[in-house]
Structure formats: structure tokens, C-alpha cells
Amino acid sequence: MKSSTSQEIQLKWNADAFVPRVSIDLVIFGFHDGQLKVLLLRWKNGEDWMLPSGFILHEEDMENAAHRSLQQRTGLQSVFLQQFHTFGEADRFKHFSKQETMRRLGFPGDTDEPLFRRHVSVGYYALVEFAEVVPTPDELTDECRWWDVEEVPPLLFDHNDMIRLALKVLRRQLSYQPIGYNLLPEKFTMPELQRLYETILGQPLDRRNFQKQMLGYGILERLEERKTGGAHKAPYLYRFDKEKYEQALDDGMSTHGL
Amino acid sequence: MKSSTSQEIQLKWNADAFVPRVSIDLVIFGFHDGQLKVLLLRWKNGEDWMLPSGFILHEEDMENAAHRSLQQRTGLQSVFLQQFHTFGEADRFKHFSKQETMRRLGFPGDTDEPLFRRHVSVGYYALVEFAEVVPTPDELTDECRWWDVEEVPPLLFDHNDMIRLALKVLRRQLSYQPIGYNLLPEKFTMPELQRLYETILGQPLDRRNFQKQMLGYGILERLEERKTGGAHKAPYLYRFDKEKYEQALDDGMSTHGL
DNA sequence: TCAAAAGTGTTTAGCATACACCCATGC
DNA sequence: GCATGGGTGTATGCTAAACACTTTTGA
């Protein structure tokens, strides 16, 4: 753990550019290798991991700030992004105290570092296509990579709570509106889609019922056979009907249709 | 519209005591006379109405701040209070521009009044027992009273949007968890409970199915007959089983069980 | 030819909807 | 006694859950 003074870091992060006291935290979900993944950042010169976060520019809509931050970490432009909870506890330091956290992150003493002032944080979760993401650290972090949701280490602040709640909301959401458009490649098989659902829900589903349900939504378009190396009967490929998919999303919930 | 300088108002509202840039807005629902009501405040010396709002003390949890503000407006201590959305648009002035709003509220010129700086606002909705509320204006308002949800006038800021969304979330919530504990007196009849549901949902329900569904939740306790002046067959009185009610709430959703 | 994965259709059960009859009370 | 509101039970239908057989393919 090398020394890096708070000055050093402050230089690269201009607190004045942003609305103070409000932050955005992103729980970015991806799906790969039959596992649900979440994107985490490792703080400079250390072993501490955290969620990607962002701040709101003075004249910027918060939702835009969330999209912008997501874009900066993943390279992705338009994805499923949903506000799920706002965290407003006075003390949001969980595994380590504020003092301890500052020390670990290279802010010695009790400087009045804007980063460590009390923040209210708005949590968003995103569903993105794993293969298209280019994980990119920011000015404060050394590394950005996917973690298996089941293997997330103790994170800084209350970020473990955030992931847990995001997952809870995601699971509920799954039951009344289709999800998958942003988590899978353009063409996918029904078993792949099913595995995605099973992974998110954490429980096995019946193949036949699943297929019926999905097709029942009327948002899937079937293509031709799938050839590739699969060592068994070749499954069909499907594609989402963007139009109808969006429709189904709106019908379910949405914070927009005020 | 009398003159009241911004100084006059600022004196009574100490912005330094609170976390800046974050506000809390409360959509307080009550039920009376077969109508869903919402509690509104009228700004000093004017005709402009708005939602009760609050701010977070520096060392205070946001949820506590919401409860505290609610307590101050209603006198009620423990009620159903739920965060439903955080509003983060850069410009949250709807019916009137910022300039116009400041003028109407007695802040002439473009003083840098903390109240009118850009805020991110966390919306909570509350369900309270109408008869127990003592509507109480705050330092910035002259009047606090109930409005029929259907007859709410154009409000300041984006407060009409907030009510609309709160109602939407409340309706959805109603479908997967019981509600009513905080909106009705301790003892109530099944038809009363039904009228509450019908009012919230904005549609008539079948008496018999409604009763079955409610009793199915296993959260109601039936008492003896109801005597009073009702000009027809006396309906039974019921009471919520607090234990089981709380249980049912937790089973449904909840932002707590992280 | 066999195991493993995928495609398809039928039965069943639970819950929500629709609906009808009897009882109490005030005018 | 009749209109109004309240109490209760049954029939129906739809959707979700449970379940079995056939087909393809590589080893």
C-alpha cells in the first residue's frame, strides 16, 4: 500500500463541478458463464473494492448523471438503468469506520475531504451485455472488473447492502416485466434466456413452462436453427422484438409515465 | 400578496442546520368521507400550495428526518412511511419558472436563497389516520389542510408529479401487500376497509371476493357486532393483528430486510 | 446406441372472478 | 313490507405448476 497524499487525489477530482452531498452508486449487472456478475472498482494502491459511483453536474439531470457515469465505466451508451433506492443513513461506513476508511484509502488525518463528507446516495442498477463492456477504472481507482455476485468481497461503505437490495428489486421486477434485452447478445437461445432467469432468481425453472411464459409475452422472434458446436440437439435462436419489448416494459412499471 | 422580505423568512429557517442540496418531500395520504386526501401547505401570504417537505440534520438518518418532518406536520409519531422515488431533475419548476416562483413566494431579485438552489428531493409517502392528524403549518407557510386527491390544484415545483407517482406506487403496493393499518381507526368494518381500497384503486370491488381476500391474509381479527346508528344490518368490527400485519408487510416488500 | 440437451403438449390445481340468496334494520 | 346494506357460499375460468414423450447430435 503505497503513499498517495490526498492532494494528489484531489487534483484529479474537482468537487466543485458537482452538486455536493449527493452521489450516485451503480450496481451494474452482467451475465457470463452462467453466473450473474457485478462490476467493481479497486481503489488506488489498495485492496479495497467498491461500486462505481458518480456525481451530478450542476445543471445536469440526475438520471443523465447516472447514464454518464455508467458510460464512463463500461463504454455503453443506452442500457437498462433503474433507480432502486436512496441511501440516507448518517453513517454509511459499514466494515470500516470513517477514520479507518480514510486511512486505508490514503487520506491521512481528518482533512475535510469532500469525498468523505456525509452523502445521500441514489442507487441505480443497470443490466448490461457482458461481452460489450469495456471495464474502465476512474481517476480514483486502479482496476475495474467483474465479480461473481456470489463472491463479492466486503466492500467499502454500505455497498454490500446496495448490491443485496438491487438484486432483491431486480428479482421482484423480473416477475412482472420481461428482462434480458440488455443482458444477452442480440441472438440467443431459449435455454440461455432460461439460465439467465434462473441465475437472477437463484432457483431452477421448468423448461416447458418457462418457454410458454416467455413466448406468451409476445416479445420474442424466432430465427433459424443454431448450428455451432453444441454437443446435442441444436436449439433455436431468438431475438427480442424491440418495439414490443419496450411496450411490455412500460406496461409493467416505470417511473417515467407520471 | 403582501410583502415579506427574504430576510424575514431566512431568519426563521436556518439552512446551515441541514444537509444542503437534499430535501425530503412528503405525500401524506389520509382517508375521510369516502375520499382519499392529501395534506398540503399554503405558502405565507399567497395562494400557492405545496407538499410538506423537510431537510436532513447533519448527523441525522434521512429516514429519521422524514419521520420528524411528518411528525411536525401531523403530530403523529409512528406511521407507515415509505420512500418511493428520488427526484433529481436539474429544473424541477413546473407550473412556474424559478424566477416566477421566487417572485410569487416573496423572494424578489435573484438572491442566492438556499431554499431555491438546486435540490435533489427524496419522495416519501405516508399513510395516516385522518382523524388523528393535527395539520400544522411550518415557519414558511400559513395554512396546512387536507385536499381531496382528485381536486389538488396546480402545486409549486414538481409536486403534482410527486403525488401522481406516489399514488401509482401505492396502488401497485396494494396488490401484493395489505394496507390499511395506518389509514383506518383501530376498529373498522369490512365495508369501510373495502371503501378504502376502492378509493385508492379508483375502482369498485366485489364485496364477497374482497372479504375472502382480506380474511385470506390472516391479518384480521373479528370482534362483536357493531351497534351504532347505521341504518341497516350491523356489520362486524375488525381489528388488525399487528404481529401478522407486520409479517405480511415484510414478506411483500420492504427496503429494510437488506 | 446411448446419454444429454432441446422441442412440444396435456393434466392439474390454486386463486381470482363472477354471481345469488338470506338476514337485519329504519322508514 | 320494502328498500338498503351486510353476511355467506358456490360455480367458473384463467394462469401457473407439474409432468412425459419424442427428436437431434456427438461420442
Side-chain angles (χ1 to χ4, degrees), chain A residues 10-70:
Chain A
Q10 266 182 287
L11 283 176
K12 303 185 194 161
W13 188 74
N14 178 17
D16 292 340
F18 303 103
V19 175
R21 306 313 192 109
V22 180
S23 62
I24 290 173
D25 284 301
L26 301 175
V27 182
I28 305 172
F29 289 116
F31 181 65
H32 183 63
D33 230 4
Q35 287 300 131
L36 198 63
K37 309 279 186 181
V38 60
L39 202 60
L40 297 179
L41 293 167
R42 185 171 54 71
W43 198 271
K44 271 203 181 321
N45 310 308
E47 289 306 315
D48 293 308
W49 291 83
M50 62 185 295
L51 289 174
S53 47
F55 297 92
I56 309 171
L57 293 166
H58 285 296
E59 303 294 329
E60 183 186 37
D61 288 345
M62 179 171 70
E63 190 168 314
N64 192 75
H67 275 288
R68 180 173 48 75
S69 302
L70 180 66

Side-chain angles (χ1 to χ4, degrees), chain A residues 3-204:
Chain A
S3 70
S4 87
T5 71
S6 72
Q7 275 76 10
E8 208 177 308
I9 293 180
Q10 266 182 287
L11 283 176
K12 303 185 194 161
W13 188 74
N14 178 17
D16 292 340
F18 303 103
V19 175
R21 306 313 192 109
V22 180
S23 62
I24 290 173
D25 284 301
L26 301 175
V27 182
I28 305 172
F29 289 116
F31 181 65
H32 183 63
D33 230 4
Q35 287 300 131
L36 198 63
K37 309 279 186 181
V38 60
L39 202 60
L40 297 179
L41 293 167
R42 185 171 54 71
W43 198 271
K44 271 203 181 321
N45 310 308
E47 289 306 315
D48 293 308
W49 291 83
M50 62 185 295
L51 289 174
S53 47
F55 297 92
I56 309 171
L57 293 166
H58 285 296
E59 303 294 329
E60 183 186 37
D61 288 345
M62 179 171 70
E63 190 168 314
N64 192 75
H67 275 288
R68 180 173 48 75
S69 302
L70 180 66
Q71 204 276 336
Q72 288 166 357
R73 282 321 115 244
T74 63
L76 297 182
Q77 204 55 249
S78 72
V79 299
F80 183 88
L81 184 65
Q82 171 123 355
Q83 182 186 317
F84 68 92
H85 187 69
T86 297
F87 298 81
E89 289 176 287
D91 179 7
R92 304 216 346 259
F93 295 89
K94 289 294 158 68
H95 304 294
F96 309 113
S97 70
K98 176 176 174 180
Q99 295 301 324
E100 175 70 0
T101 303
M102 289 185 72
R103 198 188 59 68
R104 291 174 72 95
L105 303 191
F107 294 81
D110 46 7
T111 50
D112 180 31
E113 166 55 45
L115 264 181
F116 288 89
R117 281 205 276 252
R118 187 247 175 104
H119 279 84
V120 167
S121 187
V122 183
Y124 283 83
Y125 73 85
L127 306 179
V128 304
E129 188 173 339
F130 186 88
E132 294 195 352
V133 172
V134 183
T136 312
D138 59 23
E139 320 83 46
L140 303 169
T141 52
D142 272 345
E143 189 181 357
C144 179
R145 74 165 176 89
W146 291 105
W147 284 74
D148 195 304
V149 165
E150 304 295 325
E151 292 164 8
V152 168
L155 303 177
L156 292 167
F157 315 109
D158 52 355
H159 289 185
N160 290 96
D161 290 341
M162 289 188 181
I163 295 178
R164 215 168 308 141
L165 185 57
L167 198 50
K168 190 171 174 182
V169 175
L170 171 59
R171 282 178 178 150
R172 188 186 350 268
Q173 194 134 355
L174 211 53
S175 69
Y176 55 84
Q177 66 179 212
I179 276 179
Y181 186 80
N182 300 282
L183 282 164
L184 293 172
E186 198 199 334
K187 298 174 181 181
F188 53 88
T189 67
M190 194 59 75
E192 280 167 357
L193 182 60
Q194 182 178 345
R195 241 156 280 143
L196 168 62
Y197 269 69
E198 289 177 334
T199 304
I200 293 176
L201 293 174
Q203 61 178 352

Side-chain angles (χ1 to χ4, degrees), chain B residues 118-187:
Chain B
R118 187 245 174 103
H119 279 85
V120 167
S121 187
V122 183
Y124 282 83
Y125 73 84
L127 306 179
V128 304
E129 189 175 336
F130 185 87
E132 293 195 352
V133 171
V134 183
T136 311
D138 59 23
E139 320 83 47
L140 303 170
T141 51
D142 272 344
E143 188 182 355
C144 179
R145 74 166 176 88
W146 291 105
W147 284 73
D148 195 304
V149 166
E150 303 296 326
E151 290 164 9
V152 168
L155 303 177
L156 291 167
F157 316 111
D158 52 356
H159 289 185
N160 290 95
D161 290 341
M162 290 190 180
I163 294 178
R164 215 169 307 143
L165 184 58
L167 198 51
K168 189 172 174 180
V169 175
L170 171 58
R171 282 178 178 152
R172 187 182 355 264
Q173 194 134 354
L174 210 55
S175 69
Y176 55 85
Q177 68 181 212
I179 276 179
Y181 185 80
N182 299 282
L183 282 164
L184 293 171
E186 198 200 335
K187 298 174 182 179

Side-chain angles (χ1 to χ4, degrees), chain A residues 206-209 212 230-233:
Chain A
D206 183 276
R207 258 180 333 123
R208 306 155 278 210
N209 295 333
K212 251 177 295 175
H232 302 291
K233 182 171 182 177

Side-chain angles (χ1 to χ4, degrees), chain B residues 215-235:
Chain B
L215 294 179
Y217 288 149
I219 58 172
L220 291 179
E221 187 185 348
R222 186 200 264 192
L223 310 175
E224 344 67 53
E225 286 266 317
R226 181 195 196 187
K227 48 180 180 299
T228 184
H232 302 291
K233 183 170 182 177

